[in-house]
Amino acid sequence: MASQDWFEKDFYSILGVPADADDKDIKKRYRKLARDLHPDSNPGDSGAEQRFKEIGEAYAVLSDAEQRKQYDAVRAMSRGGARFTAGGPGNATGGAGFEDIFSNLFGGGAPGPGRHSRGAGGFAGSAGASGPDLDDLLSMFGGAGGTGFGGGATTSGYPGASGFPGAGPRRGPRKARDLHATATLTFRQAVTGDTVIVNGVGGKSITARIPAGVNDGATIRLRGKGEPPTGISSEPGDLLLKITVTPHPVFTRDGDNLLLDLPVTFAEAALGEAVSVPTIDGGTVKVRIAPGTPSGRVLRVKGRGVQRKDGAGDLLAKVQVVVPQRLSEEAAAAVETLRSLDAGYDPREELHRKAKGD
């Protein structure tokens, strides 16, 4: 999602958090919504699927400190009344355009024939098809941006101009600006790898291959897919793709290992049994529960975690002994028999002994 879209979307409202929410609250809220709206939990619900995508976009920006800072600056500008319009002069949507902001900042209209134009995405005579260059605008207020008047660079129209802080002689051709986009993946997509399509310059579709095992919050650099070369750049910039991974209702990750809780009955844990365990690819694998297995023991299935070219992680199943909520008369009688056989055995004896020690 291009940063110019931030004018139109209130990510705080989408996640349902206040604008001053800290990172912990934002992450907690996102995880709850992601679990509730996950496609696996809402099959065929297009509304839930759309909300799922929206919260993924919102979290990708608000969970990144630098992007959140820029987003807040953009929203503050939009609340101030001035807005960018993508159509330049004659835009049918109304509202103040980029020319109005340019006029307020520099005391005149947008650059005319006698003034320098940076081309698509820059301080051109109109916003152009791709909208104004937001990074350049932010750089004038101390924000991010590689070519603003306060960023140590100068426009070729004012070589060495002393009126701009940090201005100096141009150092020759440079790489065009990097652009930012986001992609929201399901947990399974992140583990196994997938191909996604994102919007590039001018809405052009870009196919990106996501490697297996990508982490939540990772940034993938798509070289040459950023801003195209202009008069002051000799090669295209890159597209920085920020990845958001939604939680899974069963699996979690520890590096390349996959983890899950494995419910077993008391009889299976006490007497031993072979039980099935789900795998991330949708299949199952059999594991052996040894007799006398306690709750909390971790069973390891080799090679069934994240699959990478240089090796694979493991699947770790943590045993959770399930206590029946209701017992039939026969089952209750059997448990009573077991209790009578355990008479005199106190499983907490060692605990109390240690508690009284130093």
Side-chain angles (χ1 to χ4, degrees):
M1 180 184 64
S3 57
Q4 283 84 347
D5 293 340
W6 294 350
F7 279 102
E8 304 299 330
K9 297 186 178 181
D10 186 343
F11 292 143
Y12 294 106
S13 293
I14 290 173
L15 287 181
V17 297
D20 59 354
D22 60 24
D23 293 343
K24 183 178 179 180
D25 288 339
I26 289 174
K27 185 174 184 177
K28 180 179 179 181
R29 178 62 176 168
Y30 164 71
R31 286 187 174 276
K32 181 183 185 306
L33 289 174
R35 282 193 296 268
D36 293 343
L37 299 169
H38 196 282
D40 290 348
S41 303
N42 300 273
D45 188 338
S46 58
E49 182 178 359
Q50 179 60 33
R51 281 278 291 136
F52 183 73
K53 293 178 181 178
E54 290 173 355
I55 65 171
E57 282 186 345
Y59 180 69
V61 173
L62 298 185
S63 63
D64 184 290
E66 185 60 33
Q67 288 200 61
R68 183 179 180 183
K69 178 181 177 182
Q70 293 186 22
Y71 173 73
D72 288 342
V74 169
R75 296 291 295 178
M77 257 189 288
S78 70
R79 288 192 296 270
R83 294 181 61 88
F84 291 129
T85 55
N91 188 302
T93 61
F98 185 55
E99 297 83 3
D100 298 326
I101 295 177
F102 194 97
S103 176
N104 290 336
L105 290 173
F106 298 104
R115 302 183 184 180
H116 175 67
S117 170
R118 285 192 54 200
F123 282 96
S126 68
S130 61
D133 190 323
L134 187 58
D135 285 342
D136 281 347
L137 180 61
L138 290 174
S139 69
M140 292 186 287
F141 297 96
T147 56
F149 298 131
T154 179
T155 62
S156 60
Y158 299 95
S162 60
F164 302 110
R170 207 175 69 156
R171 300 175 185 267
R174 62 172 179 83
K175 180 182 172 183
R177 274 192 323 125
D178 293 338
L179 301 180
H180 296 267
T182 61
T184 300
L185 306 179
T186 65
F187 186 90
R188 182 176 285 111
Q189 284 177 309
V191 169
T192 61
D194 205 346
T195 299
V196 299
I197 298 177
V198 297
N199 289 330
V201 178
K204 180 181 178 181
S205 295
I206 297 175
T207 300
R209 176 63 188 171
I210 308 299
V214 66
N215 291 314
D216 181 38
T219 297
I220 297 176
R221 182 180 293 271
L222 304 178
R223 299 197 178 277
K225 302 299 184 179
E227 185 180 76
T230 64
I232 58 174
S233 59
S234 59
E235 59 179 292
D238 301 332
L239 181 66
L240 304 180
L241 184 61
K242 173 74 177 295
I243 301 297
T244 297
V245 180
T246 60
H248 195 280
V250 172
F251 298 96
T252 58
R253 278 183 64 182
D254 180 12
D256 285 346
N257 294 330
L258 299 180
L259 291 70
L260 60 80
D261 289 335
L262 178 65
V264 301
T265 67
F266 173 77
E268 289 171 337
L271 303 177
E273 185 67 72
V275 301
S276 64
V277 177
T279 56
I280 192 64
D281 60 5
T284 61
V285 61
K286 285 281 188 179
V287 298
R288 178 70 184 175
I289 307 292
T293 295
S295 190
R297 178 172 292 176
V298 175
L299 308 178
R300 183 182 297 270
V301 183
K302 290 283 189 180
R304 299 307 292 264
V306 177
Q307 307 290 319
R308 296 188 186 273
K309 293 180 179 179
D310 56 352
D314 301 330
L315 176 62
L316 306 179
K318 186 176 182 180
V319 172
Q320 300 290 344
V321 178
V322 178
V323 177
Q325 299 300 304
R326 295 182 179 85
L327 292 174
S328 65
E329 290 184 6
E330 294 81 3
V335 175
E336 286 290 350
T337 300
L338 180 61
R339 179 160 62 179
S340 66
L341 294 174
D342 279 343
Y345 169 66
D346 183 359
R348 293 167 293 281
E349 181 179 354
E350 182 72 6
L351 174 69
H352 289 297
R353 185 186 65 79
K354 291 181 178 179
K356 292 177 181 179
D358 293 335

